[in-house]
């Protein structure tokens, strides 16, 4: 890898996005900060050592992960006052289902400079591969391992009109996809695995179809599941609208009642307002 020298970086914390597979996805700016940092905070020194060698860096590493105690974080923040501290996860962008947010929070609280070196992120890459709506999405990370807890977590977002993004492991894929179908409905989805690696693959279909495929052949590698948003609600019938409007008028003005029913049932507000005035007049 060619080495280009740039101006020294100012002291502070640098959040460095690393590759999620192909080492060539490391940006030149990310490689440079890894060469110049006084210390690189990493999840696993064995994993990050390969990337540092690729970047031409011989900078010292210190472990920083979910189990690091407050003293490790405090020492890093102290060093940021006069040194360049780079934060690197095992793959992709730190803080996205990886440790780091407490370090950023406390660094800001201590008045340290915080800079991001943007780059690969498996969640965003999967959205681009999925062919599902990308104008609004929610990243959910890893779902709980138990079926009941998974169902509870999915129920919280079942009505959200957005695509949903999950990280998952191969052995849990079939069960998780089945639970998604039960909680969310059998929506269109995509399973993306080994993004940017030699065996990259994207499977698309309904949640139940993907669950069956994973049950027949367990997927391997790093996996991201993208689930499409819910379909349009069917229009409420006239009796439901009339009953909802009558109930709302017991609590609200004609204008407020019309707005509430229009919002919850998707009916026309102007027509509802006229009907509300009519009902008020008859009351």
């Amino acid at each position: 890898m060619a080495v280009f020298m740039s101006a020294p970086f100012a002291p502070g914390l640098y959040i460095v996005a690393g590759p999620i597979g192909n080492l060539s996805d490391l940006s030149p700016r990310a490689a440079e900060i890894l060469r110049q940092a006084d210390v690189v905070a990493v999840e696993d020194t064995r994993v990050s050592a390969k990337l540092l060698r690729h970047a031409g860096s011989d900078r010292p590493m210190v472990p920083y992960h979910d189990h690091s105690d407050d003293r490790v974080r405090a020492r890093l923040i102290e060093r940021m006052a006069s040194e360049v501290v780079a934060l690197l996860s095992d793959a992709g962008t730190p803080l996205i289902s990886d440790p780091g947010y407490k370090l950023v929070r406390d660094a800001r609280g201590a008045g340290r400079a915080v800079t991001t070196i943007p780059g690969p992120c498996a969640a965003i890459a999967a959205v681009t591969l999925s062919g599902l709506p990308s104008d609004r999405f929610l990243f959910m990370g890893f779902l709980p391992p138990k079926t009941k807890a998974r169902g509870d977590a999915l129920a919280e977002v079942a009505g959200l009109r957005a695509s949903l993004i999950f990280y998952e492991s191969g052995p849990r894929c079939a069960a998780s996809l089945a639970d998604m179908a039960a909680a969310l409905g059998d929506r269109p989805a995509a399973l993306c695995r080994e993004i940017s690696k030699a065996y990259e693959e994207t499977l698309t279909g309904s949640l139940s179809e993907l669950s069956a495929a994973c049950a027949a052949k367990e997927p391997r590698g790093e996996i991201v599941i993208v689930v499409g948003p819910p379909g349009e609600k069917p229009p409420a019938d006239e009796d439901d609208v009339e009953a909802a409007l009558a109930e709302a008028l017991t609590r609200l003005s004609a204008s407020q009642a019309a707005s509430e029913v229009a919002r919850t049932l998707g009916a026309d507000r102007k027509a509802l307002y006229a009907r509300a005035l009519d009902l008020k007049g008859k009351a």
Side-chain angles (χ1 to χ4, degrees):
M1 182 176 185
V3 176
F4 301 95
M5 295 304 295
S6 64
F9 291 88
L13 173 63
Y14 291 80
I15 305 163
V16 182
I20 55 177
N22 194 314
L23 291 178
S24 296
D25 291 337
L26 183 71
S27 74
R29 185 169 174 234
E32 187 61 32
I33 192 71
L34 293 178
R35 288 191 290 268
Q36 289 198 30
D38 293 289
V39 64
V40 183
V42 302
E43 273 190 272
D44 188 323
T45 56
R46 295 166 299 179
V47 173
S48 293
K50 299 176 184 176
L51 182 60
L52 264 62
R53 284 196 299 270
H54 174 78
S57 171
D58 60 359
R59 308 313 298 152
M61 293 180 287
V62 296
Y64 185 80
H65 44 70
D66 284 331
H67 305 294
S68 296
D69 61 28
D70 294 344
R71 291 172 296 178
V72 174
R73 189 160 59 252
R75 285 195 292 270
L76 287 171
I77 291 170
E78 183 179 355
R79 295 187 67 169
M80 292 172 203
S82 58
E83 296 181 327
V84 172
V85 176
L87 175 65
L88 189 67
S89 66
D90 284 350
T93 301
L95 280 73
I96 310 300
S97 270
D98 290 321
Y101 93 88
K102 292 180 181 178
L103 184 62
V104 174
R105 177 198 64 193
D106 291 358
R108 290 200 175 280
R112 305 292 188 250
V114 178
T115 303
T116 187
I117 313 295
C121 174
I124 300 301
V127 170
T128 68
L129 289 168
S130 70
L132 295 168
S134 57
D135 57 330
R136 181 185 298 179
F137 52 83
L138 174 66
F139 175 63
M140 296 284 290
F142 286 93
L143 285 169
K146 301 293 185 180
T147 295
K148 173 65 167 59
R150 264 202 305 263
D152 291 343
L154 291 165
E156 293 180 2
V157 298
L160 187 66
R161 304 203 64 77
S163 294
L164 305 174
I165 308 170
F166 305 90
Y167 287 168
E168 195 49 276
S169 66
R172 298 192 338 178
C173 258
S176 289
L177 286 161
D179 288 342
M180 290 177 197
L184 304 174
D186 202 14
R187 301 184 192 178
L191 186 153
C192 307
R193 70 177 195 90
E194 296 293 86
I195 296 173
S196 85
K197 298 178 183 177
Y199 297 101
E200 177 180 317
E201 180 182 34
T202 297
L203 303 176
T204 60
S206 69
L207 285 167
S208 62
E209 289 170 341
L210 292 178
S211 177
C214 290
K217 182 180 180 181
E218 182 181 299
R220 296 182 178 181
E222 302 293 329
I223 296 165
V224 186
I225 297 168
V226 184
V227 182
E232 296 293 331
K233 292 181 181 179
D237 63 39
E238 291 185 8
D239 289 341
D240 289 339
V241 173
E242 187 82 4
L245 186 60
E247 189 282 326
L249 285 169
T250 65
R251 302 177 282 105
L252 304 168
S253 68
S255 176
Q256 292 170 327
S259 295
E260 179 182 284
V261 176
R263 183 172 61 253
T264 56
L265 296 183
D268 181 73
R269 186 192 176 284
K270 288 185 178 179
L272 286 170
Y273 182 56
R275 180 58 180 151
L277 292 175
D278 184 49
L279 290 174
K280 282 280 191 181
K282 292 178 180 178

